[in-house]
Amino acid sequence: MRIEVERAILQSADEAAAAIRELLSGRKIFALNLLSSPGSGKTTLIEALLARFDGKGGVAVVEGDIETEIDAERIRKHGVQVRQINTHSACHIQPTRLLSVLREMDLSETRLLLVENVGNLVCPAEVSLGEDARVVLLSVTEGDEKPLKYPLVFKTSDLLVITKTDLLPYVTFDVERVRRAARAANPAVQIFEVSATTGAGMSLLLDRIEALRAAKNG
Amino acid sequence: MHELGVASEILDIALSEAGRHAAKKVTSIRLRVGVLRAIEPENLSFLFGHLARGTPAEGALLEIVEEPVRVECEGCGASEARSFTIECPRCKGPGVTVTGGDSLSILSLEIDA
Ligand SMILES: [Zn+2]
C-alpha cells in the first residue's frame, strides 16, 4: 500500500528557525549567519564589525565550532557578549540549539547578532538559523572553483565576501569567474572584495551591513 | 557526513507515518533529492539501513528521484542539467541563471499493513 507524504526533510529545523526570527524581530536585533571554510576570515570579519559597531548599541556573538573555544576566546577579548556552541559531531549549528542559547543570553542591549557557523561549505548551507542575512566568505587562497563545487551555499547567501585579496598576485584565482558563478546561482547576491591586511574594501562592506541593519530596525 | 542527519529525519518521518497507518512494515521510501544537495545515495542508504535496524523500517529501500537544475540561458532559453553550471549546456553561452535543484523531501512510502 502506498502512502503519499510529500514532506520536506529538515522541516523541524525550519520551525526552530521561525522561532529565532520571531525572537530577533521582537527585540529589534539584526542577525548575520557567517559561513565559510576554515580559515577564510570569519573571525577577522567579526573583529572588524566589533570595531565598527563598538559603543553603538550592542553586538553579541555566537561562535559555532566542533570542539574548541579558540575563536570565542579571541572575540571575548573585545569585551562583547560571546557564547560558544560546540556542535561535537554535527557539522553545522542546529537552530534548536541556537534558539536555546539565545533564550539564555541577555539581549536587552543587543542590536546586531553575529553567528559564526561551523567551518565548512556544505552542511551550514542547508539549515536556516532565522538570520536576516547570510554571508559566505571565500578567500582567494581556496581556489576559484568553490562556487561550482558547493553551489548551494552561494545560492542561499545574500552577501559574498571574497577575502585576502592582497594575495591575488600570488595565487591562481579568477575573481570574474567566481562572480559569474555566484550570480548564476543567485542573481541578487551582493559581492565584496576585501583584504583585512590592507583594509581594502572593508569599509564598503561594513557600510553595507550597517545599511541592511538600519533598513530592518532603523 | 551530512547524510546522517538526513537519514535520521527520513526514519523519523517514515516511522511516524507508518504508525499513523498502523503499518507492520515500511518496504520502500520515495525521495526527491535536488542535485545541489550534495547527497551521496550510497552513503544515505547505508546510514539509513544502520539507523533503521530493529524498527518497522528495517530493510526499507530508498528510492531517489533526482531533481535537476533548470538553466535559463540568455541565448537559447531554458534547459536542464544534472549539476550546477555557469555555461549553457546547449549553446555553451556564459549568460545563465541556475534555479531549482535544491529539493529534499519524502514523496511517498510503501507499507505492509
Ligand atoms: Zn544557451
Side-chain angles (χ1 to χ4, degrees):
Chain A
M1 177 185 149
R2 168 176 297 238
I3 310 172
E4 300 299 330
V5 179
E6 197 66 58
R7 213 163 116 185
I9 296 163
L10 308 175
Q11 209 165 40
S12 57
D14 284 346
E15 285 157 21
I20 294 171
R21 207 170 290 124
E22 200 182 312
L23 182 151
L24 297 173
S25 289
R27 296 170 178 272
K28 289 191 173 296
I29 298 168
F30 180 79
L32 289 181
N33 183 2
L34 305 173
L35 281 64
S36 80
S37 308
S40 302
K42 291 190 296 292
T43 312
T44 304
L45 174 60
I46 289 174
E47 290 181 307
L49 283 162
L50 291 177
R52 166 72 175 252
F53 290 96
D54 197 26
K56 289 186 185 173
V59 185
V61 180
V62 175
E63 288 284 340
D65 214 319
I66 291 176
E67 295 292 349
T68 71
E69 286 238 2
I70 296 166
D71 289 340
E73 289 303 326
R74 190 171 143 191
I75 297 300
R76 198 164 283 130
K77 293 200 176 85
H78 295 264
V80 294
Q81 191 174 195
V82 188
R83 290 294 303 267
Q84 176 84 34
I85 294 179
N86 284 129
T87 58
H88 304 293
S89 65
C91 47
H92 59 86
I93 297 178
Q94 293 284 4
T96 45
R97 189 73 195 286
L98 178 61
L99 181 61
S100 62
V101 164
L102 293 177
R103 282 179 175 153
E104 290 165 9
M105 290 173 85
D106 174 12
L107 298 172
S108 51
E109 299 295 317
T110 305
R111 291 293 166 263
L112 180 64
L113 172 70
L114 304 173
V115 181
E116 176 170 348
N117 219 312
V118 178
N120 78 72
L121 291 173
V122 182
C123 318
E126 299 177 329
V127 179
S128 168
L129 296 178
E131 67 267 17
D132 295 290
R134 184 175 287 196
V135 183
V136 58
L137 293 89
L138 177 66
S139 71
V140 303
T141 55
E142 289 174 72
D144 53 20
E145 80 295 348
K146 281 277 160 70
L148 293 169
K149 275 193 186 155
Y150 307 106
L152 193 65
V153 68
F154 294 89
K155 180 189 172 88
T156 59
S157 290
D158 306 288
L159 276 67
L160 162 62
V161 183
I162 300 170
T163 63
K164 306 186 186 177
T165 54
D166 54 294
L167 300 179
L168 274 172
Y170 313 107
V171 295
T172 312
F173 185 94
D174 184 344
V175 174
E176 211 35 56
R177 185 162 181 249
V178 169
R179 285 178 168 271
R180 242 179 81 195
R183 290 219 174 88
N186 175 11
V189 70
Q190 303 177 48
I191 305 172
F192 296 85
E193 294 173 32
V194 307
S195 161
T197 309
T198 66
M202 203 53 111
S203 62
L204 213 62
L205 171 62
L206 300 182
D207 287 351
R208 187 64 204 143
I209 290 172
E210 168 55 9
L212 290 170
R213 194 202 63 79
K216 184 191 182 193
N217 292 325
Chain B
M1 279 305 281
H2 67 141
E3 284 91 352
L4 184 59
V6 174
S8 133
E9 190 140 351
I10 291 170
L11 181 62
D12 286 350
I13 296 173
L15 291 179
S16 90
E17 289 291 326
R20 282 196 325 128
H21 291 83
K24 286 196 191 70
K25 208 168 159 36
V26 178
T27 54
S28 80
I29 303 171
R30 205 170 155 86
L31 310 166
R32 183 188 290 119
V33 178
V35 293
L36 299 188
R37 284 291 180 165
I39 298 275
E40 290 286 344
E42 294 79 19
N43 198 8
L44 184 66
S45 291
F46 171 80
L47 292 166
F48 178 84
H50 183 76
L51 296 174
R53 259 184 230 160
T55 76
E58 179 166 353
L61 199 73
L62 296 189
E63 193 190 331
I64 294 178
V65 180
E66 189 182 84
E67 184 203 34
V69 290
R70 185 180 153 87
V71 183
E72 308 268 1
C73 169
E74 287 170 5
C76 71
S79 57
E80 288 186 342
R82 293 193 58 200
S83 65
F84 182 78
T85 176
I86 53 173
E87 195 172 80
C88 171
R90 272 196 307 237
C91 72
K92 309 292 172 206
V96 298
T97 303
V98 180
T99 57
D102 54 358
S103 289
L104 187 56
S105 55
I106 296 190
L107 298 175
S108 61
L109 305 177
E110 287 291 339
I111 57 167
D112 289 343

